[in-house]
Amino acid sequence: MPLDFTAIDFETANRNSASACAVGLARVRNGAVVETAQWLIKPAEELGPFDRFNIKIHGITPDMVAHAPSWEDQFAELNSFVGNDILVAHNAGFDMGVIKTACSVHILPTPKFKYLCSVKVSRKTYDLPSHSLPYAAEASGFGEFQHHNALADALACSHIITDSARIHEQENLTALAKTLGLTVATLKAKPLKL
């Protein structure tokens, strides 16, 4: 089984995890990035306005997403790009939370993506003062990148995983996770509040 997966990163308009305003994706085959995609997403108005803090972090403004597809409109494309791949994200709880919450808000079925967190992989691979994406990416040899650009973050994440697989001499994500005492988890639908 080769080192195949898709790295993903979301940016949000505000603290509401359903307010995705950008996504970046990097498809990896045999340990190398073979395809990338990125697009803006227009969050639903009921999710609240863009927060100044978020804009300062990622630079995405309401005007930039005014004509972007909504979560529902881009959902099929997102699913199609991921396919049957295991997803990898840096702090996967956040990115998987975006998918779960956005699907719940928009009454869409939550895809049962399998996923692995590259922060957890980094902690088992590198001795660092911080395992935030810039530090972990540098340790993996990725170099400088535009942090909080969704595609750049997805590419950095993919490099952390491929470098960790090389260091631990593992040829696939499941074996890497097992070697590190981690689990490839499965995304589950957000429970409905009654």
Side-chain angles (χ1 to χ4, degrees), residues 34-194:
V34 296
E35 187 177 356
T36 63
Q38 65 178 330
W39 56 82
L40 296 174
I41 302 167
K42 182 179 180 180
E45 286 184 20
E46 62 266 22
L47 299 174
F50 273 71
D51 188 271
R52 283 186 206 162
F53 178 77
N54 292 56
I55 293 171
K56 185 176 178 183
I57 287 176
H58 53 55
I60 301 167
T61 65
D63 288 346
M64 293 168 72
V65 302
H67 302 290
S70 66
W71 180 263
E72 303 99 306
D73 292 339
Q74 64 82 50
F75 190 58
E77 186 175 358
L78 176 66
N79 277 296
S80 176
F81 192 98
V82 174
N84 293 320
D85 277 4
I86 296 173
L87 285 175
V88 175
H90 207 72
N91 189 13
F94 170 80
D95 297 281
M96 297 307 110
V98 169
I99 296 170
K100 282 195 293 192
T101 308
C103 286
S104 175
V105 164
H106 297 287
I107 314 172
L108 292 168
T110 301
K112 292 186 172 156
F113 293 139
K114 293 187 180 301
Y115 67 92
L116 182 65
C117 180
S118 60
V119 170
K120 293 178 179 179
V121 171
S122 175
R123 287 184 183 135
K124 301 274 189 171
T125 304
Y126 310 116
D127 183 15
L128 301 171
S130 167
H131 292 273
S132 66
L133 190 56
Y135 283 97
E138 183 179 2
S140 76
F142 187 67
E144 290 187 29
F145 64 102
Q146 186 183 347
H147 189 27
H148 295 298
N149 169 286
L151 179 57
D153 285 1
L155 288 166
C157 176
S158 73
H159 201 276
I160 292 163
I161 294 297
T162 55
D163 186 57
S164 297
R166 179 190 59 78
I167 289 168
H168 297 289
E169 299 179 341
Q170 297 301 319
E171 295 182 355
N172 67 71
L173 230 52
T174 304
L176 175 63
K178 186 175 180 182
T179 296
L180 300 178
L182 301 173
T183 304
V184 174
T186 300
L187 188 62
K188 293 180 180 144
K190 185 176 175 131
L192 293 172
K193 292 181 182 177
L194 300 175

Side-chain angles (χ1 to χ4, degrees), residues 5-53:
F5 62 91
T6 292
I8 191 167
D9 181 78
F10 287 102
E11 300 299 328
T12 58
N14 54 48
R15 290 182 186 196
N16 188 324
S17 58
S19 70
C21 61
V23 64
L25 299 147
R27 180 177 292 133
V28 174
R29 293 293 177 265
N30 294 313
V33 174
V34 296
E35 187 177 356
T36 63
Q38 65 178 330
W39 56 82
L40 296 174
I41 302 167
K42 182 179 180 180
E45 286 184 20
E46 62 266 22
L47 299 174
F50 273 71
D51 188 271
R52 283 186 206 162
F53 178 77

